[in-house]
Structures are given as structure tokens and as C-alpha cells.
Amino acid sequence: MEEHENSRCENCIIRQINSFKALKKEELKQMSDHKETRKVKKGEILFKEGERLSGVYCVRSGISKLSKLSDNGKDQIVKLAGKGEVLGQRSLITSEQTNLSATALEDMDVCYIPKNHIQESLMQNPVFTNTVLKRMASELKTADHTIVNMAQKSVRQRLARGLLYLGDSFGTDEDGFLYLQLSRSNLADIVGTATELLIRTLTKLKKEGAVSISGKRIKLEDKKLLYAIAEGI
Amino acid sequence: MEEHENSRCENCIIRQINSFKALKKEELKQMSDHKETRKVKKGEILFKEGERLSGVYCVRSGISKLSKLSDNGKDQIVKLAGKGEVLGQRSLITSEQTNLSATALEDMDVCYIPKNHIQESLMQNPVFTNTVLKRMASELKTADHTIVNMAQKSVRQRLARGLLYLGDSFGTDEDGFLYLQLSRSNLADIVGTATELLIRTLTKLKKEGAVSISGKRIKLEDKKLLYAIAEGI
DNA sequence: ATTGTCAACTGACAAAAATCATCTTTTAAG
DNA sequence: CTTAAAAGATGATTTTTGTCAGTTGACAAT
């Protein structure tokens, strides 16, 4: 079966934006020969919290949410992962079951890479290991920041910050609306509150002119105000 | 200047419980020749959020808090670090300023290790890098869990969990009281709430028989109850 | 056309948490 | 020992958040 050149890891543009850029020609070839491209429909689950993964997913396009179920039955979205992110890496490194579930928020294209290739490179390519380590350290910093926000900030503050984050991470469409259209329920799961309160808080931001809303579509009208809200009170 | 054998990294027992066990003889020797032992008094600050570190601290004894200031002026304790922990590693890996402050909660003995030795080993010793990576991945998992707890659980639940954590991490004294005696204010900064509410919540746990209290000293009387509270409502 | 489902929204109320004021106890300093 | 300062504790009040019940509107299935 002959593959088109573009579908080979060696030529994949995604590689420019993640740790895989530190891999050697030989490793990429190996990886490419054993990878498996896969389409994931919006709403589909890539993996569930508690599963053991036999590989990682490299996101080529589309956005997914990484979430964790709390004891009280509510979902908390810990992170949104788009193009270039590698899903499942953490649990592969520690050889544990995943602690998060991954669900597609849009149709996605992903590459599945069996774990042995990643693990070999982690053992034998120090540059790669270092790159992964740097990413992990950076994620840890973000996580610490999130902990403080969750513990110390109000729903209003967290929502303002969340909206800015959505803008920064995934940009806007031609009309200036946030590219990623989340349901109110998903937004609530990012902010860490109930859907009802999320809706009320969002409505208030709209009345204050910080955002405008058209159905699922949200536009950040006054980023400075949002920023001030996120910091202050 | 002649050093006692025990004060050399090669013989340090701490090495058994952190990433340094993956270092080679030669690296340890180098490290030992350039380390600097230091005593830190209770209340003293090892480093402040935003500083640039020129090395890491290896904790030989004593416990420190790693905290971050929120925009609203409140401190959030992100982690408690005791014997064997290496402080400042994350910011060293990403070559950034620290995102956390480290303060001694007890008198401490620490070793200061200049960064170049760590960085060299990270570049040249894949086993060491891998060990650090594993630790970092593990911390990230914990952090994700904390995010969910902060976002989804009540102060009561978080306090119950926090007390169990203190017991598990630092043990109890001969009378069964938690070894680490924190001020109510520090406890509040762990749980992520105001001191007043922390006191009230703690008092309630006492009335319910989950804990007993004698000044700063806290005894976990009914761990199962605490566990149930942490999970349920 | 009818039904059913689901997401978005609203009102009313209850519970949780923050805030402010005050008082007591403990601790540290002179 | 005395005194000042800090930590601990409690009451009263306000604000924030959660919960329950119900309405509306869009859309798909029949």
C-alpha cells in the first residue's frame, strides 16, 4: 500500500509545533511506518479516564477537551487541546492509567502512535526527552496557575479569564466571534460552576458590554474590561 | 577544608528518595564539590515568586510551603514539600522565573545546588532526565486532581481531604496528632478559603468527632468519616 | 402536523462562602 | 512580669453560588 508523501511523519507540519521536532529521521520513519491516522467525529471519545493507553494521539486538526469526573458526578474540563498537542503522553510516561478523558469538541484528524516508539525515543534520544520535559514543566506551571484561580477567584472572574483564553488559544472567525463554539454546559465545565450560573454570569457580561452573543457564538467586545474583571472584582 | 563523609552528596540518604538517585558517581562528586548547605529558619523565605533562580534546593529536613499570590492579594498554597523534594527544578528546566514562592514552615536543612550541574546532567544523563520527567508527569497528575477538587468541591470537602493529606504526607507524633502544625491561616491557604470559614468548618468537624483539637495540634479521630466527607457531602 | 428531545434560559429559594466587627487567647518582646 | 501584637474564635450580615422547577425555542423523528 503506497502512501502519499504528505501523510508521512517526516513531512508532517504538525511536527513543527510539538515535541516531535526533536526526533531523528530514523525515529520518524519508524513512527510513520506504524502510526495510524484516524478521524474522530465531534462528540466522540478518544479515551476515558482510567483506561490504559497503548499509545498516544497526535492532533492534526480539531479541538478536544480533557476532562475529569469529580466524585459528585460533575465534569471538570482541565484543558483544551488543539493542533499539535499530544494526548495521553503523561500516562504513558508514568505507565499509569489515564487520569483524564479526551472528547472531541469538533471533528478531528489524529494520528495514533503505538507507545513503544515513543518509549524507545524517550530512552534513547536525550534531546527528545528534554523537549518533552520542558513541555511538561510548562504545563505544570499552567496547572499551578489554574489551581490558584479555581481556589481564589469568583465565577465571574474565572469566566472572564476563560473567554480570553478561548480567544488567545483558538482565535476568532471572520466576524470576530470566538472560533471555538462551546455549549453553555461545556463552558460551565471549564469555569467550574453550574450551567445556570454560567448563563447568568455570561448574560451579565453581555449587559455590561464586555461580550456580545448570538446563539452559541460569542464575541469579545471589550478585552480590557474582561481582563480587568478577571483580575479585579 | 575537610568535610565529613556524611556531608557528601555521594553518601546523602536523601538521594534515595528523589531523582538524584539516577545520577552517576562522577556527577555526584561534581555536585557535592559545589553544593552549599544552608539552614533555614521557620518563616524564612527560600525564594519568591518571580525571582530567577541560579540553582535548586534539595530539602534534607524540615517542611516548606510552595505558594502563589492571587490577584486579590490572597496566598494559595499549591504544595507542601518535605524531605527529599527538590525546589526550583521546574523554573530551572524552562529557564523561567519561578511561579511559586517557597517558605519554611519549620526549621530546615537544605542543600543549594548551582544550576549548571543540574542542567549538565539533564543534557547528558538520559536516565536522570527520565527520572525527572517521571516525577514531573506525576506532579502534573496531582495538579490536575487538585484543579478538579478546587473547582468542584466545597470547603468542607477540601478541608477533610487536606487533613488526610497532611496525615499521609507527614505522619503523626507519638500522641497521634498530625506532625505538621499549621496555623489556621496556612490551613486556610491550603484549602483555598478565608481563615474564619476554615475555623468554623474545622470546629464543625471536631463537633462531629472527625477530629480533635488541642491548640495548633490536630488529631484525625475518624479517618473513614473524613474520607467520606471528602468524597460525599 | 405532532411529538419528543435537548439546549438555553429564568425565577425562586436554599446553601455556602465571604466579609466585617468584635472579643479572647496565645505568643513574643521589652 | 507587663504589654503589645498576632492568632484564634464567634456573631451578624451580605454576597455568591447551587439547586429545583419550569418555560421557551430549535430541530429531528415520526
Side-chain angles (χ1 to χ4, degrees):
Chain A
M1 199 192 299
E2 199 177 317
E3 274 191 299
H4 186 282
E5 277 297 303
N6 283 342
S7 79
R8 302 223 22 110
C9 293
E10 297 92 313
N11 305 318
C12 182
I13 46 159
I14 297 303
R15 195 160 67 82
Q16 299 310 316
I17 52 174
N18 70 20
S19 322
F20 293 165
K21 67 169 176 283
L23 291 173
K24 295 172 194 160
K25 281 254 158 61
E26 189 52 37
E27 291 170 314
L28 284 168
K29 185 171 157 17
Q30 278 293 316
M31 194 176 277
S32 200
D33 288 344
H34 294 90
K35 77 161 195 291
E36 200 177 291
T37 61
R38 200 179 135 191
K39 288 197 179 296
V40 186
K41 284 251 174 67
K42 178 174 174 171
E44 265 188 69
I45 294 169
L46 279 128
F47 52 80
K48 266 202 177 128
E49 188 181 343
E51 274 181 23
R52 273 188 192 280
L53 297 183
S54 49
V56 299
Y57 295 93
C58 176
V59 180
R60 288 172 61 96
S61 70
I63 299 170
S64 66
K65 66 172 177 183
L66 292 165
S67 64
K68 187 167 165 60
L69 211 59
S70 175
D71 295 319
N72 60 17
K74 285 188 194 167
D75 233 22
Q76 176 66 34
I77 296 179
V78 172
K79 189 186 157 130
L80 298 176
K83 191 204 285 183
E85 299 267 357
V86 180
L87 308 178
Q89 208 168 30
R90 198 210 58 75
S91 43
L92 198 140
I93 289 167
T94 54
S95 311
E96 291 173 326
Q97 16 192 36
T98 58
N99 60 324
L100 301 173
S101 300
T103 313
L105 295 174
E106 307 177 309
D107 290 353
M108 300 178 77
D109 288 309
V110 300
C111 287
Y112 175 80
I113 300 157
K115 65 174 174 184
N116 52 320
H117 295 99
I118 303 285
Q119 280 170 333
E120 264 175 42
S121 294
L122 278 177
M123 297 302 268
Q124 288 160 10
N125 181 344
V127 182
F128 176 62
T129 312
N130 249 287
T131 312
V132 174
L133 180 58
K134 283 214 176 76
R135 286 204 170 244
M136 199 79 55
S138 173
E139 283 194 40
L140 192 54
K141 179 188 174 183
T142 308
D144 284 345
H145 197 232
T146 305
I147 289 174
V148 178
N149 282 340
M150 288 299 178
Q152 303 280 2
K153 298 206 168 180
S154 65
V155 167
R156 176 177 163 82
Q157 289 178 298
R158 270 142 51 199
L159 174 57
R161 170 170 293 280
L163 291 171
L164 288 168
Y165 163 76
L166 289 178
D168 290 343
S169 306
F170 306 112
T172 53
D173 63 18
E174 60 281 1
D175 303 325
F177 286 90
L178 290 179
Y179 168 74
L180 181 61
Q181 290 173 32
L182 292 167
S183 69
R184 299 293 189 263
S185 161
N186 270 332
L187 254 183
D189 289 349
I190 290 176
V191 173
T193 188
T195 308
E196 296 96 320
L197 183 55
L198 185 280
I199 290 173
R200 282 182 238 264
T201 312
L202 190 57
T203 306
K204 203 174 165 211
L205 287 183
K206 177 179 144 196
K207 279 181 189 154
E208 294 169 331
V211 302
S212 59
I213 295 173
S214 141
K216 268 193 170 40
R217 309 203 306 155
I218 298 175
K219 189 192 283 191
L220 310 187
E221 295 288 353
D222 190 343
K223 285 200 186 187
K224 283 192 184 156
L225 177 55
L226 282 173
Y227 199 76
I229 290 171
E231 300 234 303
I233 298 173
Chain B
M1 202 193 303
E2 199 176 315
E3 272 190 305
H4 187 284
E5 276 297 303
N6 283 342
S7 78
R8 302 223 22 110
C9 293
E10 295 92 312
N11 305 318
C12 180
I13 46 159
I14 297 304
R15 198 160 66 82
Q16 299 308 315
I17 52 176
N18 69 19
S19 322
F20 293 165
K21 67 168 177 285
L23 291 173
K24 295 172 193 160
K25 280 254 160 58
E26 189 53 35
E27 291 170 313
L28 283 168
K29 185 171 158 16
Q30 278 294 314
M31 194 176 280
S32 200
D33 289 343
H34 294 89
K35 77 160 195 289
E36 198 177 294
T37 62
R38 200 178 135 188
K39 289 197 178 295
V40 186
K41 284 250 173 65
K42 177 173 175 172
E44 264 187 69
I45 294 170
L46 281 127
F47 52 81
K48 266 202 177 131
E49 186 182 347
E51 273 181 26
R52 274 189 191 280
L53 298 182
S54 49
V56 300
Y57 295 93
C58 176
V59 180
R60 288 172 63 96
S61 71
I63 298 170
S64 65
K65 67 172 175 181
L66 293 165
S67 63
K68 188 168 163 59
L69 210 59
S70 177
D71 295 318
N72 59 19
K74 285 188 194 163
D75 233 21
Q76 176 67 34
I77 296 179
V78 172
K79 188 183 159 134
L80 297 176
K83 192 203 286 185
E85 299 267 358
V86 180
L87 308 178
Q89 208 167 30
R90 197 209 58 75
S91 43
L92 200 139
I93 289 168
T94 54
S95 311
E96 290 174 325
Q97 18 193 32
T98 57
N99 61 325
L100 301 174
S101 300
T103 313
L105 294 175
E106 306 177 310
D107 290 352
M108 300 178 75
D109 287 309
V110 301
C111 287
Y112 174 80
I113 300 157
K115 66 175 174 182
N116 53 320
H117 295 99
I118 304 285
Q119 280 170 333
E120 264 174 42
S121 293
L122 279 177
M123 296 303 269
Q124 288 161 10
N125 182 343
V127 181
F128 176 62
T129 312
N130 249 287
T131 312
V132 174
L133 180 58
K134 281 212 176 78
R135 285 202 173 244
M136 198 81 53
S138 173
E139 284 193 40
L140 192 54
K141 179 186 175 185
T142 308
D144 283 345
H145 197 233
T146 305
I147 289 173
V148 178
N149 281 340
M150 289 299 178
Q152 302 281 2
K153 298 206 166 176
S154 66
V155 166
R156 178 177 162 83
Q157 289 177 297
R158 271 142 51 197
L159 174 57
R161 169 171 293 278
L163 291 171
L164 288 167
Y165 163 77
L166 289 177
D168 290 343
S169 305
F170 306 111
T172 53
D173 63 19
E174 61 280 1
D175 303 325
F177 286 89
L178 290 179
Y179 168 73
L180 181 60
Q181 292 173 31
L182 292 167
S183 69
R184 301 293 191 263
S185 160
N186 270 333
L187 254 183
D189 289 349
I190 291 176
V191 173
T193 187
T195 310
E196 295 97 317
L197 182 55
L198 178 107
I199 290 173
R200 283 181 236 266
T201 312
L202 190 58
T203 307
K204 202 174 166 211
L205 287 183
K206 176 180 144 194
K207 279 182 188 153
E208 294 168 333
V211 302
S212 59
I213 295 174
S214 139
K216 269 195 169 38
R217 309 201 310 154
I218 299 174
K219 190 192 282 192
L220 310 187
E221 295 287 354
D222 189 345
K223 286 200 187 190
K224 282 190 184 157
L225 177 55
L226 282 173
Y227 199 76
I229 290 171
E231 301 235 300
I233 299 175

